Amino acid sequence: MAPPSSGVAARLIQKVSATRAFAKIAPHFVPAMDRAVHRLTRGRVLPSARMLPGVVLSARGAKSGLVRTTPLACMPEESGTWLLVGSNFGRPGHPAWTANLLAHPDVSISWKGQDIPVRARLLAGAERAAAWRAVLAFWPPYAAYQARVEREIRLFRLVVREAGQENADGVHQGEPPSA
C-alpha cells in the first residue's frame, strides 16, 4: 500500500510523531480518543486514521482472559492482510496488546466499520526484515521509535480467518467457546 499522503501537513505530522514529547503524550490521549469516537460512531470513525490507517483490535488479555479493545495504526497490505507494529510510541517495553496476540492469536479487528476475524502471527527473520522495510517506507517515524529502544519492535501480520476455520483454541469460527 502507498504511504500516507506526502504533503507538507503529512511531513509535519511525521516529524512531530517521531519526537520524545509525542511519545510521552500520545499514549494517554490518542487511544482514549479513538476508543470513544469509534464507540460513539458504531465503528465508522477512527480519528487517528486521518494520519495512518487504523484498526480496533479485540483480543483476549494474556493474563486476564478478558476481551481488550485497542485502537492501533496498521499498514494494510495488497494481499488483504495487515501489519501491526508494536512500537509503543518508541517507549521501553512491548505494548500489552502484543503479549495478548502472542497468547491468543485468534482475534478480531474492526476495519472501516466491519468486524473481521483474523489470526495474528509474529514475524521473524527475513519475513520480518522485508515487512520492516515496507513499514519504514510507509511511516518513517518508526525508525526513530526503534532507535530509542533496545528491544526489537514486534511486527505482526494479521490474516483473515475463513468461515469454519478452527481458532487456536480448537473452536470453529462462529461457534461459542464451550464453558
Side-chain angles (χ1 to χ4, degrees), residues 60 75 78 94 110 141 164 174:
R60 285 192 293 137
M75 187 183 114
E78 290 181 12
H94 295 289
S110 175

Side-chain angles (χ1 to χ4, degrees), residues 86-102:
S87 68
N88 206 11
F89 296 95
R91 298 180 307 157
H94 295 289
W97 63 264
T98 66
N100 297 346
L101 291 183
L102 292 172

Side-chain angles (χ1 to χ4, degrees), residues 97-130:
W97 63 264
T98 66
N100 297 346
L101 291 183
L102 292 172
H104 306 288
D106 290 331
V107 298
S108 67
I109 57 171
S110 175
W111 168 249
K112 297 183 178 180
Q114 189 174 34
D115 291 330
I116 303 169
V118 295
R119 179 167 289 151
R121 188 168 47 81
L122 180 64
L123 302 183
E127 184 182 26
R128 185 199 182 279

